[in-house]
Amino acid sequence: MKTRTQRTRQILALAAATGVLLAAAGCSGGLGSDDGGGTDQSGTIKLGMLAPFSGSESAFGEYMQNGAQLAIDEINADGGIDGRKLELQVEDDACDATAAVSAANKLVTEGVVASVGGYCSGATLPTLPIFDEAGIPMVIPAANSNELVKQGLPGVFLINGTGTQQAAAAVAYAEKSGMKSVAVIDDATAYSADLAASFVTQATEAGLSVSFEATVTPGENDYAAVATQLASEKPELVYWTGYYQEGGLIVRQATDAGYAGAFLVGDGSVDAKFAEIAGDGYTDNVLGTFTQTPDMIEGADAWIADYEKLAGAAPGPYSTQSYDAVRVIAQAIEDAGSTDFDEVVAALEGLKDFDTFAGPLTFTKDHTLSGGGFVIVGIDPASGAFILEDDLQD
């Protein structure tokens, strides 16, 4: 069985095998080109977004695209950046590493000067060297594996809290609730494995007993083995760090097997579809670690109305982060007075207390947020939507 580190290296190696260098050597576009952006400093400024628009996570792609487009519309209505309009170029990565590599190369050829996408960490990781070689900075709104910044690439910035920060919120909730025994289940993807590893490390350091760790295969329908183990071991809290498709099934099957403890799910499972998959009566003991959605944020009513006018539907997870990703990169380009890679990166590093939905943003030396902003959310039994349960401030 591959270790989590080996799996991550395999994901990164895929990028090189699929033609990373071709993007840099044989494609026009990106910073330093004259194709709609770059150092020409005229014409439309193209921003690229990779997100899932097909597959089991497709709902998040729509949320992200609409949030980003709302920010672009607002900036353009206010005159753009030095008179230049912004344009969003969207490609489907399907939360799949191979698809993401192809989509990233396409964005490079389309002449984007910055990337404001990235939902699944496993799909985002192999795109890092592609954008880096092409001189395209990345402000990643959703993907948050620690591996994204461990590469040390200068143009990679996260505006979602890291796996370490999310795991800290999970441990804080367990401690606050007086729980002593915990278990963790991941799905072997880069995001899920990273979050699970961070949780185990921090839970152990906090003196909690980790009853067991398990890894399941995504896309299956039968998780009886892990359900039976949960019912047998009886940990007080189970942390599921994968996505909602499998998470909903695991909760249902574990409950049917006799497990009566609490479930905590990571932000990849925080969507109303979780309750739909689990079924009625199976989510009373389910909570999640997440950053606040618009409906949880005081004073966001006007923003929600603007989003609904644009999208024809209510905003969902990562719509605000994608909105802020556009605003952050736009501010950096404006501050730099250029779309040159080095100048934009320097401007991003120089942002100080920039106003975002998650609070004032100042990047750390690792290009992450100084605070993760994670809270505990629960499920509304009437709608299945996740709602604020505990802001962990007490």
Side-chain angles (χ1 to χ4, degrees), residues 55-393:
S56 62
E57 310 302 316
S58 58
F60 293 100
E62 296 295 328
Y63 297 145
M64 292 170 66
Q65 180 180 7
N66 290 328
Q69 190 61 55
L70 179 56
I72 285 175
D73 290 348
E74 290 178 357
I75 293 168
N76 286 345
D78 198 35
I81 301 176
D82 293 332
R84 300 174 65 187
K85 300 293 186 181
L86 297 180
E87 178 184 338
L88 185 65
Q89 301 286 123
V90 174
E91 294 294 337
D92 181 17
D93 67 14
C95 272
D96 174 80
T98 302
V101 166
S102 176
N105 280 319
K106 187 173 181 181
L107 286 180
V108 172
T109 64
E110 290 173 345
V112 304
V113 302
S115 169
V116 292
Y119 171 71
C120 288
S121 294
T124 305
L125 274 165
T127 71
L128 302 189
I130 296 175
F131 290 126
D132 180 65
E133 290 285 349
I136 295 173
M138 304 173 69
V139 177
I140 302 173
N144 61 355
S145 168
N146 290 298
E147 295 297 331
L148 293 166
V149 291
K150 281 183 180 178
Q151 312 310 313
L153 298 177
V156 177
F157 295 80
L158 306 187
I159 63 168
N160 189 17
T162 65
T164 298
Q165 292 167 327
Q166 181 166 195
V171 171
Y173 175 74
E175 290 184 298
K176 183 176 181 179
S177 302
M179 298 173 177
K180 301 298 183 182
S181 63
V182 298
V184 62
I185 307 170
D186 71 76
D187 67 3
T189 62
Y191 148 76
S192 180
D194 175 71
L195 179 56
S198 293
F199 177 72
V200 169
T201 297
Q202 294 182 60
T204 302
E205 291 173 349
L208 302 180
S209 172
V210 181
S211 300
F212 72 92
E213 303 172 55
T215 298
V216 301
T217 302
E220 295 184 347
N221 293 317
D222 185 359
Y223 297 105
V226 73
T228 300
Q229 189 172 8
L230 283 176
S232 174
E233 296 284 348
K234 295 182 175 61
E236 294 173 276
L237 175 72
V238 181
Y239 196 24
W240 162 246
T241 65
Y243 298 97
Y244 60 73
Q245 186 71 38
E246 293 77 24
L249 294 175
I250 290 171
V251 165
R252 184 184 185 93
Q253 291 172 22
T255 302
D256 286 344
Y259 177 68
F263 282 97
L264 192 62
V265 303
D267 54 356
S269 283
V270 178
D271 187 86
K273 289 187 178 180
F274 186 99
E276 181 182 325
I277 293 167
D280 291 342
Y282 285 90
T283 59
D284 293 345
N285 61 339
V286 176
L287 298 168
T289 47
F290 200 65
T291 50
Q292 296 190 56
T293 52
D295 54 295
M296 303 177 195
I297 300 172
E298 186 176 353
D301 292 349
W303 188 89
I304 293 172
D306 289 341
Y307 180 99
E308 291 177 341
K309 183 178 180 180
L310 169 71
Y318 302 110
S319 54
T320 54
Q321 287 92 336
S322 299
Y323 173 85
D324 282 333
V326 170
R327 295 177 57 249
V328 166
I329 195 65
Q331 185 64 54
I333 292 172
E334 183 174 341
D335 290 348
S338 169
T339 54
D340 174 77
F341 177 81
D342 291 334
E343 294 180 22
V344 172
V345 168
L348 286 167
E349 292 175 336
L351 288 177
K352 178 70 173 176
D353 294 334
F354 182 78
D355 186 37
T356 71
F357 273 102
L361 180 150
T362 301
F363 287 112
T364 68
K365 62 181 179 60
D366 296 321
H367 295 178
T368 60
L369 300 180
S370 55
F374 286 98
V375 297
I376 303 300
V377 293
I379 296 179
D380 180 359
S383 65
F386 282 84
I387 56 176
L388 182 63
E389 182 82 15
D390 187 342
D391 63 8
L392 297 177
Q393 296 303 304

